[in-house]
Amino acid sequence: TVFVPRGRVSGFTVESDLMTYLHLTTPGGYDRFVELTAAVAERKELPPKGFKPKDVDKKIRDRIMNDIGLHYLALESPLG
């Protein structure tokens, strides 16, 4: 379990081929962001190696995030 207080940045390094990750965000709103920016999978399987998801236009992303009260923070590496 990891708790990250509001205003703090965190990051993880995965050093195995398999990872289980449960991400809880409060207050709510992140689910709406995912709903508005995600695409339905074409098949019920993992994407092939090298798969690159489509980019979301930054202006659209920023507008959606602003509308639902989320803030985007870009870092070179959250692990410093």
Side-chain angles (χ1 to χ4, degrees):
T1 302
V2 176
F3 171 74
V4 181
R6 181 185 296 250
R8 299 292 303 270
V9 177
S10 67
F12 300 91
T13 299
V14 179
E15 297 179 351
S16 67
D17 293 334
L18 180 64
M19 176 182 148
T20 301
Y21 179 69
L22 174 62
H23 182 131
L24 302 174
T25 305
T26 61
Y30 186 73
D31 57 326
R32 185 74 176 134
F33 173 74
V34 171
E35 179 183 328
L36 292 170
T37 59
V40 176
E42 295 175 9
R43 294 177 294 283
K44 290 186 177 185
E45 60 186 38
L46 292 174
K49 285 194 181 266
F51 172 80
K52 301 280 188 206
K54 69 175 187 166
D55 287 331
V56 175
D57 182 276
K58 290 179 183 179
K59 289 181 182 178
I60 294 171
R61 178 202 66 202
D62 292 347
R63 181 181 48 80
I64 291 169
M65 292 182 73
N66 186 59
D67 288 349
I68 59 179
L70 296 175
H71 305 283
Y72 183 75
L73 177 63
L75 301 172
E76 285 187 28
S77 169
L79 302 175

